[in-house]
Amino acid sequence: MHVGTDRLEFAPPSPPGMLRALVLALLVHGLLLLGLTWSVRWKHDTPVLSAEAELWSSVPVEAAPQAVEPEPEPAPEPEPQPAPPPKPAPVVEPPAPPPPKVDIALEQEKQRLKKEQARLEELKQEKLREKERLDKLEKARLEKLKQDKLKQEQLKQEQLKQDKLKQDKLKQEKLKAEQAAKAQQTAAEKKQAALDAKQLEAQRQKNLQRMAGLAGASGSANATGTALKSSGPSASYGGRIRAKIKPNIVFTEDIQGNPTTEVEVRAAPDGTIVSRKITKSSGIKDWDEAVIRAIDKTEVLPRDIDGSMPSSLLLVFRPKD
């Protein structure tokens, strides 16, 4: 594309009605050209030239040779033929006057219009090519979108297939786990039944032994044990221990609820406290520390009613008891 076309391509758009203005300009110029041609037509008429010429010949005409036949009658002597007239001299026309400036301007306008039309046609063809290029790009984009959508559908179908296989596998594993749990439960039930049977047999043996030793038992009438003599602290021993330790607890805070503190206490045979350890905290640090201080302050625990002293005791303390 030439430089003018490049310059016009980035120029502002032409105002509307440009073609109508060009047609009117051509019409006015044509009328002006016709008027000028009609007004100067007499100057272009070819002048008629008249000339005279005298015909004569300076060369005599000779007769033809005689024939070789018997002499005929003498033919009359031919008259001399006149010489052909000379050709008239060519008429020299005067040189044509130069074309008027109006023709040059019109021709330039025609050339400009042709160039403008060619430029417009080229722009039109360029727009058509650009439109075809854009159409191809749009078609390629739509085709790519279609292919991408098809691939996504295929991936989705594949994913659904994989999910279904995974769910089937999970179902199979769950079924196997349920079957294994059921089998384990059945085995456990069988084991428990065997253990219950064994315990029943042991209980039966103990009952037999108890029945055999009832004569020498030292328990009360409503005792349910099987030993000849009871072991461990008495029922009132726990109360005696708490009654010994609780007066030494110093705790004045007002707390919500009645939390429990469990303490394991180990004592010597004479009742001297050897160690103490909190096995279950109440969640209130001050109460737990008050219980520990009270146990340390007690130092010696009382003996049971039979004079025995347990080596290990689990004591329970509550602030509102």
Side-chain angles (χ1 to χ4, degrees):
M1 187 179 294
H2 50 79
V3 179
T5 304
D6 294 338
R7 180 176 60 80
L8 291 175
E9 183 177 359
F10 299 99
S14 302
M18 187 69 180
L19 183 60
R20 183 171 64 254
L22 290 176
V23 173
L24 290 176
L26 288 176
L27 181 61
V28 171
H29 281 80
L31 293 176
L32 179 62
L33 180 62
L34 289 176
L36 291 175
T37 304
W38 180 263
S39 63
V40 297
R41 184 178 179 183
W42 60 273
K43 295 181 181 180
H44 293 283
D45 292 342
T46 303
V48 180
L49 299 178
S50 59
E52 294 182 359
E54 183 179 357
L55 302 178
W56 56 276
S57 176
S58 59
V59 179
V61 178
E62 294 180 357
Q66 294 181 1
V68 185
E69 293 180 352
E71 292 184 26
E73 294 182 356
E77 189 175 349
E79 296 180 357
Q81 297 290 335
K87 294 182 180 180
V91 179
V92 179
E93 297 181 357
K101 294 183 179 180
V102 178
D103 295 344
I104 296 175
L106 182 60
E107 186 65 24
Q108 290 178 352
E109 183 68 18
K110 287 181 179 181
Q111 294 296 329
R112 190 183 68 80
L113 289 176
K114 286 182 180 179
K115 291 180 179 180
E116 184 68 19
Q117 186 176 3
R119 187 184 69 82
L120 293 176
E121 185 66 24
E122 187 175 358
L123 288 176
K124 184 178 179 181
Q125 294 297 328
E126 185 68 22
K127 289 182 178 179
L128 289 176
R129 288 192 294 269
E130 183 67 18
K131 185 175 181 300
E132 290 178 357
R133 188 180 68 82
L134 293 177
D135 291 342
K136 289 181 180 179
L137 291 176
E138 183 67 17
K139 186 176 180 181
R141 187 181 70 82
L142 293 176
E143 186 66 23
K144 188 175 183 299
L145 288 176
K146 184 178 179 181
Q147 294 295 332
D148 293 342
K149 186 176 180 181
L150 182 60
K151 289 181 180 179
Q152 290 179 0
E153 289 293 334
Q154 292 177 354
L155 290 175
K156 187 176 180 181
Q157 293 295 332
E158 186 67 22
Q159 186 65 31
L160 290 175
K161 186 177 179 181
Q162 293 294 333
D163 292 343
K164 186 177 180 181
L165 292 175
K166 189 175 181 181
Q167 290 178 0
D168 293 341
K169 186 177 180 180
L170 290 176
K171 287 181 180 180
Q172 294 294 332
E173 291 178 354
K174 185 178 180 181
L175 182 60
K176 290 181 180 179
E178 290 177 354
Q179 291 176 354
K182 188 174 181 180
Q184 187 176 1
Q185 183 179 1
T186 303
E189 290 177 354
K190 291 181 179 180
K191 185 177 180 181
Q192 186 65 31
L195 184 60
D196 292 343
K198 187 177 181 180
Q199 289 179 353
L200 288 175
E201 180 64 22
Q203 186 67 31
R204 189 177 70 84
Q205 293 295 331
K206 287 181 180 181
N207 290 335
L208 292 175
Q209 292 177 3
R210 182 173 175 272
M211 291 173 65
L214 283 178
S218 60
S220 60
N222 56 355
T224 58
T226 59
L228 296 177
K229 185 178 179 181
S230 298
S231 62
S234 62
S236 61
Y237 186 60
R240 293 175 62 191
I241 293 294
R242 284 192 296 272
K244 180 73 172 177
I245 298 176
K246 193 169 184 181
N248 297 328
I249 298 177
V250 180
F251 185 75
T252 60
E253 295 183 11
D254 187 13
I255 60 176
Q256 186 177 3
N258 196 19
T260 301
T261 301
E262 294 182 0
V263 182
E264 181 183 2
V265 178
R266 294 183 179 275
D270 60 351
T272 304
I273 297 175
V274 178
S275 65
R276 77 281 185 283
K277 180 177 68 175
I278 295 176
T279 58
K280 180 181 179 182
S281 174
S282 63
I284 301 174
K285 184 178 180 181
D286 293 341
W287 168 249
D288 294 341
E289 291 179 352
V291 171
I292 293 298
R293 286 195 299 269
I295 294 173
D296 293 341
K297 188 176 181 181
T298 302
E299 294 183 355
V300 180
L301 298 177
R303 295 175 180 273
D304 202 352
I305 54 178
D306 59 354
S308 62
M309 184 65 209
S311 61
S312 177
L313 297 171
L314 182 63
L315 306 179
V316 178
F317 298 91
R318 297 184 179 88
K320 295 182 181 180
D321 288 351

